[in-house]
C-alpha cells in the first residue's frame, strides 16, 4: 500500500467521526427522544470504521472480524470515550430509546451471523474425519468447560451479576471458555491450502462440533436463566425439548426446508425470493426454539445447517445472502459488542490480573484438551499440536456468546469485557501459531491421491452439476436417458426433474427463429408438488364423442389415460432413483452424501421450446433428451429433439440406443469414449467414467490421430500431445481407483476409427463430446452425423 493510500485510510475514520458526531449533536439538541438521524450516523460510523479496520486486519493476515470488533472498542468508552467524551456520548447516547434502535439491528445480526455459521457447517466433514475430530472436540470442550465452571465458583461475589445465581454464571463461563470459532479456523486453514488435508479437515470438523455443542449448551443455560435456578424438572424439559428439536429438524425439517427453497425457486418470479424464503425459515426456527424455552440462536444455527445442505442453493444465492450479512450486519453487531466492552477496567491491577488469568486458563484448557483428544483419535504429535493451536481461537463465536450472556443476565459488564478481551487476544495469537504448526506437517500418500482427485473434480463437469432436467418418453431411448440421469444425479444427490412427454410427434420446432406455442401440460406429479392442466382431446376421444358416448364415460376414459401417464412418469422417476443408488453404492466414505436424489415428475403432451426455456429458468445445469424419434434418415436429428434443444441453452445430453440396449436399456455396458483434448470431449469422458463406475462397465478411452500430409512431422509433434491428453483422462479415473483402457489409432477419418475400435473391442455404447453448430437445425458436426448414420452401437452425445 502506498503512502497516499495509507493517508486516505487514516483520514477517513476521523472525518467520518467528525461528520457523524456533528450530525448527532445537532439531532440530539433538536430531539430529546430517539432520533433516526443519530441512528443513521451510528450505522455509518460502525460500517465505515469496521470496514477500514477489517481491511487492515486482512492485510496483516488477521481475520476481518477482529477489525470490526476493534472498531467498536475504539469507538466506545475504552478510547473515544476517554479522548472525546462529548463526541462519544453524542454519537452513542445512553438513553434507552436511542440505544434500543441500534440494539435491534445488533440482535437481528446475531441471528443472521448464526445462520451464516450454520450454512458453513459441513456435517459430512464430521463423518469423514471419524473419531479424530470427535475426540479432539469433546476433550477440547470438557476440560476448558470444567475449568470455566471451577473459575466461576471461585469468583468473588462482586464479580457476579447475581451471587444467588452463581451456578448459571459458572456454566456460562465454562461454555465461553470451551468454544472455538469455525470462521477464524477456516480462514487460516484455507489460506495455508490445508482445507482438504486430513489435519485441516479434522481441525474444521472439531470446530464444527464445538460450535454445534456450544449453541446447544447456551440454549439450555438460557432456559435455566429464565427459571432463575437449576431446577431438575426445567433442566430435563430444556434437554428433552432441545433433543426433540434437533431430531425433528435434521429429519422432517430437513426435507421441509429443501422443499420450501426449491418451491420458491421454481414458482416465484420476483427478485431475491429465495433469500426471503431463507430468512423466513431462519425466523420461524428461531421462534420455535423460543417456544420450547431455549435461546433463539439455536434455531438460527440449525436453520443455517439445513439451508446450507439444500441441493439447489446456488452459489449466486449464497453469495447474495453472505454479502448483505458481511457488509452490513457483521460490522454493526461486532461494533456494538466492542462498544459494550470497557477496557479501562484493566487499569485496575486486580482486574488486569483476573483477565490474564482467564486468558491463561482458557488457553491451557483448550490447548490441552484438544491435544489429548487428538492423541486418543490417532493423530500424530505434529498434527495434534496444529489442531490444538487452531482450536484456541474464540473469535466471533466468543463475542456472540458473551453478548447473549450479557443480555440474559448471566454476565455483568466486567465479565463481558474480560471475555471480549480473551476473544481478541486468543484470536490474534492463533493465526501465526497455526501457520507455523501446519507448515511442519508432511503430506501423506493417501492424502496426495485424494487431493489429486479433488483437484480434477474442481475443474470438472460432473462434479459441478447441481440440478438435472430430463425430457423423455416411454421408448428405450427414454428409459436409457433416465438411467444415465440417475447415475449422474447420484454423484452428489442432485435434484432431478423428469419431463415425461406423451406425444413427442406434436412438438413444434421454432419457425424462422420465432417461438412456437407450446401444448398444455396434462399433469404434474411429484413427491413435493402437484400441478394440473387440461389435456387436448386426442383422436380416440373425438371419435368417442361422434359415437354419442356419454360425456361421463368419455371423462372417465380421459382420467384413466392421465393416471396411466402419471404412472409411467413415476416409473421413470423410480428408474432415476435406482440408478442413483448404483453410483452411491460405489462411493467411498469421503464421497458419500446424505442428500437423497429428489425426483420431480412432470407429464406433458408436447412441450415447445418456450416451455423448456421456462423450466430451464429454474436453474438446471444439464438437460438429457431421450425420445423414440431421435433421428431422421439416420443422420439428422428429428425436429422434436431440435425443438427441445432450442429451449435449453445449457449443456445437453442426447441418447440414441441401438442393438442390445434397445432391447434391454438396463443391460450391461461396454463403453467407448473418443477424446481429442477439447473441453466437450473431456466432459464426455467424465460422464463415461461416472456411468462406468455406477454400472461396473469396462471403459476404453480412444484418441484418434488423423493422418496429415507429412506423417513423420505429425508423429514427432503429436506424440507428446496424445500422451498428455490420455494422461489427463486417466488421472480422472485414477482418482476413483478405476482401471480403464486407452488406445491411439491413426486414421484418415475419425468416424471410421471410432467404429473400427468399437467393433473390435465389442463396445455397445459410444459416449462422445460434441459442440452445437450454428443453424436452425441441431447439428453436432460431420463426425457425429456419420456415427448416427453408420454406428450399430448406442450413442450418447454430450453437447456443450
Amino acid at each position: 500500500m502506498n503512502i497516499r493510500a495509507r493517508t486516505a485510510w487514516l483520514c477517513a475514520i476521523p472525518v467520518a467521526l467528525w461528520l457523524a458526531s456533528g450530525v448527532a449533536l445537532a439531532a440530539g439538541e433538536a430531539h430529546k427522544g430517539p432520533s433516526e438521524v443519530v441512528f443513521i450516523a451510528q450505522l455509518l460510523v460502525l460500517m465505515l470504521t469496521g470496514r477500514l479496520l477489517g481491511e487492515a486486519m486482512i492485510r496483516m493476515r488477521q481475520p476481518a472480524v477482529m477489525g470490526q470488533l476493534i472498531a467498536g472498542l475504539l469507538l466506545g468508552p475504552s478510547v473515544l470515550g476517554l479522548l472525546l467524551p462529548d463526541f462519544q456520548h453524542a454519537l452513542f447516547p445512553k438513553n434507552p430509546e436511542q440505544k434500543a434502535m441500534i440494539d435491534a439491528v445488533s440482535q437481528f445480526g446475531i441471528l443472521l451471523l448464526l445462520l451464516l455459521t450454520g450454512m458453513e457447517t459441513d456435517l459430512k466433514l464430521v463423518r469423514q474425519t471419524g473419531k479424530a475430530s470427535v475426540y479432539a472436540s469433546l476433550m477440547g470442550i470438557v476440560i476448558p468447560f470444567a475449568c470455566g465452571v471451577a473459575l466461576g465458583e471461585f469468583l468473588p461475589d462482586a464479580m457476579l451479576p447475581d451471587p444467588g445465581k452463581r451456578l448459571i454464571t459458572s456454566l456460562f463461563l465454562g461454555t465461553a471458555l470451551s468454544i472455538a470459532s469455525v470462521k477464524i479456523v477456516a480462514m487460516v486453514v484455507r489460506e495455508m491450502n490445508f482445507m482438504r488435508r486430513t489435519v485441516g479437515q479434522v481441525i474444521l470438523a472439531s470446530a464444527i462440533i464445538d460450535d454445534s455443542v456450544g449453541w446447544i449448551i447456551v440454549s439450555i443455560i438460557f432456559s435455566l436463566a429464565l427459571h432463575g435456578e437449576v431446577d431438575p424438572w426445567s433442566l430435563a424439559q430444556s434437554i428433552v425439548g432441545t433433543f426433540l428439536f434437533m431430531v425433528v429438524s435434521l429429519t422432517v425439517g430437513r426435507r421441509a426446508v429443501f422443499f420450501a427453497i426449491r418451491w420458491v425457486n421454481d414458482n416465484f418470479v420476483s427478485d431475491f425470493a429465495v433469500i426471503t424464503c431463507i430468512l423466513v425459515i431462519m425466523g420461524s426456527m428461531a421462534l420455535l426454539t423460543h417456544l420450547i424455552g431455549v435461546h433463539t440462536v439455536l434455531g438460527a444455527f440449525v436453520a443455517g445447517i439445513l439451508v446450507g445442505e439444500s441441493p439447489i442453493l446456488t452459489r449466486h444465492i449464497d453469495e447474495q445472502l453472505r454479502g448483505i450479512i458481511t457488509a452490513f450486519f457483521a460490522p454493526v453487531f461486532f461494533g456494538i459488542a466492542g462498544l459494550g466492552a470497557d477496557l479501562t477496567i484493566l487499569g485496575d491491577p486486580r482486574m488486569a490480573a483476573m483477565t490474564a488469568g482467564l486468558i491463561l486458563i482458557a488457553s491451557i484448557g483448550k490447548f490441552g484438551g484438544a491435544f489429548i483428544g487428538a492423541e486418543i483419535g490417532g493423530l500424530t504429535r505434529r498434527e495434534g499440536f496444529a489442531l490444538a493451536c487452531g482450536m484456541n481461537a474464540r473469535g466471533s463465536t466468543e463475542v456472540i456468546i458473551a453478548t447473549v450472556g450479557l443480555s440474559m443476565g448471566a454476565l455483568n459488564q466486567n465479565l463481558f469485557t474480560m471475555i471480549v478481551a480473551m476473544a481478541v487476544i486468543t484470536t490474534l495469537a492463533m493465526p501465526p501459531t497455526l501457520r507455523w504448526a501446519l507448515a511442519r506437517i508432511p503430506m501423506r500418500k493417501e492424502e496426495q491421491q485424494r487431493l489429486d482427485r479433488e483437484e480434477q473434480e474442481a475443474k470438472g463437469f460432473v462434479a459441478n452439476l447441481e440440478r438435472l432436467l430430463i425430457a423423455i418418453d416411454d421408448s428405450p431411448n427414454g428409459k436409457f436417458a433416465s438411467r444415465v440421469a440417475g447415475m449422474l444425479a447420484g454423484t452428489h444427490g442432485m435434484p432431478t426433474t423428469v419431463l415425461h412427454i406423451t406425444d413427442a410427434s406434436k412438438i413444434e420446432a421454432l419457425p424462422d427463429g420465432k417461438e412456437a406455442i407450446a401444448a398444455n401440460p396434462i399433469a404434474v406429479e411429484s413427491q413435493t408438488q402437484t400441478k394440473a392442466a387440461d389435456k387436448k382431446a386426442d383422436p380416440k376421444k373425438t371419435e368417442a364423442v361422434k359415437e354419442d358416448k356419454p360425456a361421463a364415460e368419455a371423462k372417465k376414459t380421459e382420467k384413466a389415460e392421465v393416471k396411466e401417464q402419471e404412472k409411467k412418469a413415476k416409473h421413470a422417476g423410480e428408474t432415476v432413483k435406482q440408478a442413483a443408488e448404483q453410483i452411491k453404492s460405489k462411493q467411498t466414505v469421503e464421497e458419500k452424501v446424505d442428500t437423497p436424489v429428489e425426483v420431480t415428475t412432470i407429464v406433458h403432451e408436447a412441450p415447445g421450446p418456450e416451455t423448456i426455456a421456462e423450466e430451464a429458468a429454474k436453474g438446471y445445469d444439464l438437460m438429457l433428451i431421450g425420445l423414440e424419434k431421435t433421428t431422421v434418415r439416420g443422420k439428422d436429428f428429428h425436429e422434436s429433439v431440435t425443438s427441445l434443444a432450442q429451449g435449453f441453452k445449457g449443456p445437453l445430453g442426447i441418447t440414441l440406443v441401438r442393438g442390445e440396449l434397445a432391447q434391454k436399456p438396463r443391460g450391461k455396458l461396454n463403453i467407448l469414449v473418443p477424446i481429442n483434448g477439447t473441453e466437450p470431449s473431456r466432459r464426455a469422458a467424465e460422464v463415461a467414467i461416472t456411468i462406468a463406475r455406477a454400472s461396473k462397465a469396462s471403459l476404453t478411452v480412444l484418441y484418434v490421430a488423423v493422418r496429415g500430409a507429412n506423417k513423420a512431422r505429425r508423429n514427432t509433434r503429436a506424440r507428446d500431445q496424445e500422451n498428455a491428453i490420455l494422461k489427463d483422462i486417466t488421472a480422472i479415473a485414477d482418482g476413483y481407483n478405476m482401471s480403464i483402457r486407452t488406445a491411439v489409432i491413426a486414421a484418415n477419418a475419425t468416424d471410421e476409427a471410432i467404429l473400427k475400435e468399437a467393433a473390435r473391442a465389442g463396445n455397445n455404447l459410444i459416449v462422445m463430446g460434441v459442440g452445437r453448430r450454428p443453424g436452425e437445425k441441431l447439428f453436432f458436426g460431420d463426425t457425429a452425423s456419420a456415427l448416427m448414420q453408420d454406428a450399430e452401437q448406442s450413442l450418447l452425445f454430450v453437447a456443450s
Side-chain angles (χ1 to χ4, degrees):
M1 188 188 300
N2 57 38
I3 297 177
R4 183 175 298 176
R6 290 178 181 176
T7 304
W9 276 44
L10 293 174
C11 292
I13 294 177
V15 168
L17 287 174
W18 176 80
L19 177 63
S21 300
V23 172
L25 281 170
E29 293 175 359
H31 303 277
K32 294 183 179 180
S35 167
E36 64 179 31
V37 175
V38 174
F39 174 64
I40 294 173
Q42 292 172 341
L43 293 179
L44 171 66
V45 170
L46 289 172
M47 284 191 291
L48 181 59
T49 54
R51 172 61 62 184
L52 293 178
L53 291 178
E55 183 74 16
M57 286 290 106
I58 291 175
R59 293 171 185 268
M60 295 165 56
R61 302 180 72 188
Q62 291 286 350
V65 67
M66 285 298 98
Q68 297 165 357
L69 183 59
I70 292 172
L73 293 173
L74 295 178
L75 294 172
S78 305
V79 178
L80 187 61
L82 287 177
L83 301 177
L84 301 170
D86 290 338
F87 273 22
Q88 202 274 336
H89 293 154
L91 186 57
F92 298 101
K94 298 295 184 180
N95 58 305
E97 295 86 357
Q98 188 69 55
K99 194 170 183 296
M101 296 175 70
I102 194 71
D103 282 347
V105 178
S106 176
Q107 292 300 314
F108 191 66
I110 292 179
L111 299 183
L112 289 176
L113 287 167
L114 265 295
L115 173 73
L116 193 58
T117 301
M119 290 174 63
E120 295 172 344
T121 299
D122 188 356
L123 297 181
K124 176 185 173 184
L125 186 63
V126 176
R127 185 185 68 243
Q128 290 176 359
T129 55
K131 64 179 183 179
S133 59
V134 175
Y135 284 130
S137 178
L138 292 182
M139 294 301 295
I141 290 175
V142 170
I143 293 179
F145 185 86
C147 293
V149 172
L151 177 64
E153 291 300 309
F154 285 101
L155 283 177
D157 289 349
M159 290 290 296
L160 301 176
D162 185 351
K165 300 178 181 178
R166 176 182 291 273
L167 180 57
I168 293 175
T169 299
S170 299
L171 290 173
F172 210 91
L173 274 175
T175 306
L177 267 61
S178 60
I179 304 303
S181 174
V182 175
K183 290 177 179 293
I184 310 303
V185 171
M187 180 205 74
V188 179
V189 172
R190 185 182 297 112
E191 175 198 311
M192 293 290 292
N193 292 322
F194 267 72
M195 187 64 79
R196 304 308 303 167
R197 291 279 299 273
T198 300
V199 65
Q201 291 186 328
V202 172
I203 292 173
L204 284 177
S206 300
I208 287 170
I209 297 173
D210 265 24
D211 258 19
S212 303
V213 174
W215 295 120
I216 293 173
I217 295 174
V218 168
S219 299
I220 294 174
I221 295 174
F222 175 76
S223 176
L224 299 178
L226 289 178
H227 291 86
E229 59 182 356
V230 182
D231 176 55
W233 174 245
S234 62
L235 178 61
Q237 280 184 314
S238 301
I239 294 175
V240 172
T242 302
F243 174 77
L244 291 176
F245 171 77
M246 295 296 295
V247 170
V248 173
S249 296
L250 296 175
T251 53
V252 178
R254 191 165 178 259
R255 290 183 175 273
V257 169
F258 290 1
F259 164 69
I261 292 176
R262 183 172 62 183
W263 188 85
V264 169
N265 179 77
D266 291 354
N267 292 278
F268 280 61
V269 295
S270 54
D271 294 335
F272 312 119
V274 173
I275 292 181
T276 301
C277 175
I278 292 171
L279 295 178
V280 169
I281 291 171
M282 179 202 72
S284 300
M285 295 188 71
L287 290 175
L288 183 59
T289 51
H290 177 74
L291 289 176
I292 64 175
V294 297
H295 202 279
T296 54
V297 293
L298 179 64
F301 177 70
V302 175
I305 293 177
L306 301 183
V307 169
E309 290 185 339
S310 175
I312 62 168
L313 185 66
T314 64
R315 296 180 186 88
H316 181 59
I317 293 173
D318 181 74
E319 289 172 359
Q320 288 175 336
L321 185 60
R322 189 181 305 274
I324 185 62
I325 295 174
T326 303
F328 176 67
F329 287 98
V332 172
F333 167 74
F334 289 111
I336 293 296
L339 284 170
D342 186 0
L343 296 182
T344 58
I345 66 169
L346 301 181
D348 182 351
R350 179 168 167 271
M351 292 299 299
M354 293 185 67
T355 303
L358 177 68
I359 296 172
L360 186 64
I361 292 173
S363 299
I364 293 176
K366 192 65 176 178
F367 187 94
F371 187 80
I372 294 171
E375 286 281 315
I376 299 173
L379 297 183
T380 65
R381 293 286 176 88
R382 289 186 177 184
E383 290 173 337
F385 186 83
L387 186 146
C389 289
M391 297 299 288
N392 196 38
R394 270 59 177 196
S396 57
T397 305
E398 188 78 1
V399 177
I400 295 173
I401 289 178
T403 303
V404 172
L406 183 65
S407 66
M408 71 171 61
L411 302 175
N412 59 18
Q413 200 66 44
N414 288 345
L415 283 175
F416 174 80
T417 299
M418 292 167 62
I419 292 176
V420 169
M422 177 186 67
V424 173
I425 292 174
T426 57
T427 302
L428 294 179
M430 187 275 281
T433 57
L434 181 56
R435 292 187 188 104
W436 178 82
L438 289 177
R440 300 174 66 244
I441 300 176
M443 177 80 72
R444 297 178 180 181
K445 182 179 179 181
E446 61 271 16
E447 276 188 292
Q448 188 63 59
Q449 183 181 13
R450 175 171 56 81
L451 291 174
D452 290 343
R453 186 191 72 240
E454 291 176 353
E455 183 180 356
Q456 291 284 350
E457 289 181 343
K459 62 182 181 181
F461 173 62
V462 174
N464 290 293
L465 296 176
E466 293 183 346
R467 196 176 187 188
L468 302 181
L469 173 66
I470 61 173
I472 60 170
D473 55 19
D474 293 324
S475 67
N477 266 333
K479 294 176 181 177
F480 185 69
S482 298
R483 181 184 179 189
V484 172
M487 294 175 185
L488 296 175
T491 55
H492 47 278
M494 286 179 272
T496 302
T497 298
V498 178
L499 179 60
H500 192 267
I501 300 170
T502 61
D503 193 352
S505 63
K506 294 184 179 180
I507 297 177
E508 302 177 26
L510 288 174
D512 300 325
K514 297 180 180 179
E515 292 187 351
I517 300 175
N520 290 327
I522 303 174
V524 177
E525 179 70 25
S526 169
Q527 294 178 346
T528 56
Q529 65 181 54
T530 301
K531 295 180 181 179
D534 294 331
K535 179 182 180 296
K536 290 186 177 180
D538 56 29
K540 292 182 179 179
K541 183 178 172 184
T542 304
E543 189 65 27
V545 175
K546 289 183 179 179
E547 294 175 2
D548 296 326
K549 288 185 177 181
E553 184 178 345
K555 190 173 183 180
K556 184 178 180 181
T557 302
E558 181 183 351
K559 287 183 177 180
E561 291 178 0
V562 170
K563 287 184 179 180
E564 180 64 23
Q565 295 298 338
E566 291 176 355
K567 183 179 179 181
K568 291 179 179 179
K570 285 184 179 180
H571 180 71
E574 289 301 318
T575 300
V576 173
K577 289 187 176 182
Q578 291 172 9
E581 290 303 316
Q582 282 186 304
I583 187 67
K584 292 177 78 172
S585 66
K586 307 297 184 302
Q587 292 175 324
T588 63
V589 175
E590 294 176 349
E591 297 171 320
K592 280 188 179 297
V593 292
D594 296 327
T595 307
V597 175
E598 295 288 344
V599 178
T600 301
T601 55
I602 302 175
V603 179
H604 208 298
E605 183 178 32
E610 73 295 337
T611 303
I612 298 297
E614 182 180 350
E615 184 68 25
K618 298 174 183 178
Y620 295 93
D621 303 295
L622 175 68
M623 178 181 180
L624 289 169
I625 300 175
L627 301 179
E628 182 176 8
K629 294 182 179 180
T630 302
T631 64
V632 178
R633 298 183 300 276
K635 63 177 182 179
D636 296 322
F637 284 108
H638 192 273
E639 64 178 8
S640 59
V641 176
T642 296
S643 180
L644 294 176
Q646 286 174 326
F648 193 85
K649 303 304 180 183
L652 288 174
I654 300 177
T655 60
L656 180 55
V657 294
R658 292 170 176 169
E660 58 187 70
L661 287 180
Q663 303 299 322
K664 296 180 180 179
R666 297 186 185 181
K668 187 175 181 180
L669 301 176
N670 188 351
I671 306 171
L672 174 69
V673 54
I675 62 171
N676 57 8
T678 61
E679 185 62 27
S681 74
R682 194 178 194 277
R683 288 184 174 186
E686 286 188 56
V687 172
I689 288 171
T690 302
I691 296 174
R693 288 177 62 207
S695 59
K696 296 183 179 179
S698 59
L699 174 62
T700 300
V701 179
L702 172 66
Y703 182 89
V704 179
V706 181
R707 291 191 180 100
N710 188 337
K711 298 180 183 179
R713 187 177 181 183
R714 191 211 66 78
N715 287 334
T716 56
R717 289 185 175 182
R719 193 175 301 278
D720 289 342
Q721 183 183 17
E722 294 166 4
N723 291 334
I725 293 171
L726 288 171
K727 185 178 180 181
D728 178 50
I729 304 304
T730 303
I732 299 175
D734 288 343
Y736 300 108
N737 293 318
M738 277 186 62
S739 177
I740 63 174
R741 177 178 171 269
T742 60
V744 178
I745 295 180
N748 293 322
T750 303
D751 56 296
E752 292 177 3
I754 294 172
L755 294 175
K756 180 179 178 181
E757 176 62 24
R760 191 194 66 78
N763 303 116
N764 61 356
L765 174 64
I766 299 173
V767 181
M768 184 174 179
V770 293
R772 296 197 206 189
R773 307 296 174 87
E776 294 182 4
K777 293 184 178 181
L778 185 63
F779 181 61
F780 293 150
D782 294 332
T783 301
S785 292
L787 291 179
M788 290 167 62
Q789 185 174 17
D790 300 330
E792 297 178 358
Q793 296 80 7
S794 298
L795 301 171
L796 170 58
F797 293 113
V798 180
S800 59

